[in-house]
Amino acid sequence: MAKVTIDGIQIDVPDGTTILNAARMIGPDVAPPTMCYYSKLKTSGGYCRTCLVEVTAGSEKDPRPMPKLVASCRTTVMDGMVVANNTSAKVKDARAGVVEFLLLNHPLDCPVCDQAGECHLQDLSYDHGNYKTRTDFERRTFEKIDIGEKIQLHMTRCILCYRCVKTAEQITDGRVHGVINRGDHAEISTYIEQAIDNDFSGNVIDVCPVGALTDKTFRFKSRVWFTKPVDAHRNCENEKCSGKVVLWYQGEEVLRVTGRKDQWGEVEEFICNTCRFDKKQTSDWTIEGPRKINRHSVISANHYMNMVKPKEFKLNEIKQITE
Amino acid sequence: MARKILLEHIDVPGINTYDVYRSKGGYASVEKALKTMNPQDVVEEVKKSGLRGRGGAGFPTGMKWSFLAKPEGVPSYLVCNADESEPGTFKDRYLMEYLPHLLIEGMITSSYALGANTSYIYIRGEYFYLVRILEKAISEAYANGWLGKNILGTNYSLDLYVHPGAGAYICGEETALLESLEGKRGNPRIKPPFPAIAGLYGCPTVVNNVETIAAVVPIINMTGDEYAKIGIGRSAGTKLISASGHIKKPGVYEIEMGITVEDFIYSDEYCGGILNDKKLKAVVAGGSSVPILPADLILTTANGEKRLMSYESLADGGFATGTMLGSGGFIVMDESTSIVQNLHTFARFYHHESCGQCSPCREGTGWMEKIIHKILDGHGTLEDIDLLWDIQRKIEGNTICPLGDAAAWPVASAIRHFRHEFEEFVKNPSAQREVKYYFHCNNIDTAAAYSSI
């Protein structure tokens, strides 16, 4: 066990835990934001640099601070380590810089983007970004590519987190897509725009933190906050598929099916393409009940669960408060 | 005449062939190491010599070697980093072109010290003609029994391969080099684990620069203690400097560390002074990524002492008033040079060469290039200069590999020491534009250039 202090809160964690996971054990207020790290995917993380933290004491034995900010998702804790995340001005400054870099070539087409409402980049820039942009240069753009019948890739929105590449490597059979070119011309692509064709390819949509990979069966059907998420499961014929999903309803109609995401926005269990794209009737599923959504999420704004109507004040009451 | 160690026999005709090289005492270090020393002794000898990595970082080589993990049943590798891609550096090319056997001799001795039975020379794609030179030299070494099974009748065996890259700056970073050598996309790995623990194919690996490996040969021949006496303080030995820019005699020079910078620029033995006897304006002392220094700070330190060609003296004063020896790419600029224009060239290079893995470098390098281009084109504002400073500050130290730092330092130092030039470009763009184009055609004696073709 290693004793680690993050933002003044002490916790004992098993040896080999990363700083990020130790912070997640403490709670969401302390955990650094992540754009590329995905606990279900091996070797993910380290690319986006949003989870940078300051290590003010390396360990019990060697209490010297680390000279640079470190990526918390790829740095393991040492006994006696002291970490500053939200309490460090250096970290906040660097993180604001990273947000600015990520948004530099991002089109900010949230009003027409299907990811809006469940987009990690939206949350990140809301929490850690600056108020205004400092660039007036033309942004990089790409043509949209259909990779397969059901998935569309819109590289313009991509922040190159490599999550879908790791998914393609680790979850699906046979690697069919990766990164081509380099620098800010780098793009996620299948070689010569070939279709991704295997049972688990749909998971790249769930792992994408932005709207670069979207579900073509759901595109432009509805804003996500107008749909009602419901937990459901079925006995899937595919052995690797858990069959545990969220159905997103609008009225009686199932608009889309996704995997279940935990509080860090990560899929709990990967699902197969049959469950995702082909089973869109309520009769295909055993309904478990409404999905609990974090009340800070915009998705819960139009929700039937946990909804508390704000108290309506009368005019004289408002006067009393303001006086 | 200054002491030459690596380039001692460079003027001998045919030194690139095995017979001539052998007759000049070549491969003596292999004989000495394999017959009279055990691997640990060789490492100790290199430790005593105080040799530091010649690729740029200047990390003590002996210490790097002693970090190599040696688990049972797992091979270890030595990889020679011949991906010499730092702009302004061309010493390794010179060494490999004219003294290929020196590198091979160093590879054998070093591989023996590290217990490696397979070693690689990773050479940059642009140096394709050197691959043929090295492969010819390697086949000569095989034919004469210096490579292969049971070298010199001992039970030590070594195979040596040359692997050309595809021409990417990033593949000079050691972990990106290993990825590329494994046949993958040349992206730097996230450290830890360091290559000494898990490097090539997941096995313990040492990656060393060409010049470092070549320097092992004289260290074994003359013993580490003798080598440590050359040079000054912790900067032991000699260093190859690739001198370029506005000087009378550009080229590769072997210097004993500790000579003054002034001597190096102005003495006839080395650069021979500034071209057309103009005034010195600035020097980039160690390849494009190290901070640029104005004339007064490169010749003397902030304390008023003479600056020496050594790791410590060039770094004196930190980044505020100092720079780094780096890889020894010594670029001299005279008074006619536009620093902003020069910076644009560097920024464009780093933008082009960023691998695109981590966001600060991927996006930041392109942003910096665009802003400098805007200033050069006369559309800049004074806020742009501050913005440029802020961007480089947010890239530096926040990236996976040192490419981010390498892109940030030239920008930082140019603004730190030559802010007035940026401001002049902003305030008076048309007058500056003349300087800009003057720079392009200045110093090129067109008639002479054509007659020499």
Side-chain angles (χ1 to χ4, degrees), chain B residues 181-378:
Chain B
L181 193 53
E182 287 178 11
K184 300 177 190 154
R185 182 183 160 85
N187 275 357
R189 293 176 185 167
I190 292 159
K191 290 175 263 189
F194 288 91
I197 310 294
L200 187 64
Y201 307 118
C203 302
T205 306
V206 166
V207 184
N208 275 140
N209 180 255
V210 172
E211 195 190 339
T212 317
I213 288 173
V216 172
V217 174
I219 287 170
I220 299 305
N221 283 338
M222 66 166 65
T223 76
D225 289 329
E226 279 299 308
Y227 189 85
K229 287 178 192 161
I230 311 166
I232 178 167
R234 287 179 56 229
S235 302
T238 60
K239 174 93 184 79
L240 296 183
I241 303 287
S242 329
S244 63
H246 299 140
I247 44 178
K248 285 184 181 157
K249 285 162 54 188
V252 177
Y253 295 100
E254 181 168 15
I255 58 154
E256 187 175 338
M257 276 195 267
I259 67 165
T260 63
V261 175
E262 196 175 349
D263 252 7
F264 184 70
I265 298 176
Y266 290 104
S267 82
D268 282 337
E269 195 181 336
Y270 301 113
C271 301
I274 309 295
L275 200 68
N276 301 333
D277 293 320
K278 287 193 175 167
K279 262 168 67 185
L280 176 67
K281 181 174 190 178
V283 170
V284 179
S288 67
S289 59
V290 308
I292 189 171
L293 282 187
D296 52 338
L297 278 176
I298 189 73
L299 297 177
T300 55
T301 63
N303 302 330
E305 293 161 18
K306 283 212 179 258
R307 213 182 269 281
L308 311 177
M309 296 289 280
S310 72
Y311 289 99
E312 285 79 27
S313 179
L314 282 170
D316 185 85
F319 277 1
T321 59
T323 176
M324 282 164 77
L325 180 59
S327 61
F330 198 84
I331 309 169
V332 181
M333 297 168 196
D334 74 9
E335 54 191 328
S336 68
T337 315
S338 162
I339 298 294
V340 185
Q341 166 114 42
N342 171 63
L343 182 65
H344 180 242
T345 312
F346 285 169
R348 197 174 60 203
F349 174 80
Y350 289 112
H351 176 205
H352 184 248
E353 295 294 346
S354 169
C355 81
Q357 235 188 158
C358 57
S359 31
C361 173
R362 178 183 67 228
E363 309 291 352
T365 50
W367 196 7
M368 291 198 299
E369 193 217 324
K370 283 176 191 161
I371 292 173
I372 299 166
H373 190 256
K374 187 175 150 190
I375 294 173
L376 264 186
D377 262 8

Side-chain angles (χ1 to χ4, degrees), chain A residues 270-290:
Chain A
F270 293 107
I271 60 167
C272 70
N273 283 4
T274 318
C275 290
R276 184 185 303 272
F277 297 122
D278 300 335
K279 303 291 178 190
K280 295 210 172 170
Q281 300 295 326
T282 307
S283 55
D284 294 329
W285 300 95
T286 313
I287 305 291
E288 294 171 19

Side-chain angles (χ1 to χ4, degrees), chain A residues 5 21 24 91 100-101 131 156 166 179 214 269 271 276:
Chain A
T5 313
N21 280 330
R24 283 185 173 186
V91 169
E100 194 169 22
F101 288 133
Y131 289 105
T156 309
K166 309 272 176 194
V179 178
T214 46
E269 280 165 295
I271 60 167
R276 184 185 303 272

Side-chain angles (χ1 to χ4, degrees), chain B residues 103-120:
Chain B
L103 175 61
I104 292 162
E105 184 181 350
M107 285 298 281
I108 301 167
T109 313
S110 311
S111 301
Y112 174 70
L114 297 165
N117 296 110
T118 311
S119 294
Y120 297 91

Side-chain angles (χ1 to χ4, degrees), chain A residues 45-49 52 68-69 74 93-94 97-98 100-102 104-105 134-138 140 159-160 162 179-184, chain B residues 168 185 187 190 351-360 362-364 366-367 370-371 374 387 390-391 393-395 397-400 405:
Chain A
Y47 305 128
C48 70
R49 319 306 282 180
L52 290 174
K68 289 177 177 180
L69 301 182
R74 294 296 284 260
D93 183 47
V98 171
E100 194 169 22
F101 288 133
L102 288 176
L104 196 69
N105 275 308
R134 295 190 288 178
T135 178
D136 51 1
F137 296 109
E138 202 173 300
R140 137 190 103 213
I159 56 160
L160 285 166
Y162 283 67
V179 178
I180 57 173
N181 295 335
R182 68 176 179 217
D184 57 8
Chain B
R185 182 183 160 85
N187 275 357
I190 292 159
H351 176 205
H352 184 248
E353 295 294 346
S354 169
C355 81
Q357 235 188 158
C358 57
S359 31
R362 178 183 67 228
E363 309 291 352
W367 196 7
K370 283 176 191 161
I371 292 173
K374 187 175 150 190
L387 178 59
D390 198 47
I391 298 169
R393 195 174 60 80
K394 279 174 174 161
I395 297 175
N398 293 342
T399 53
I400 294 174
D405 302 344

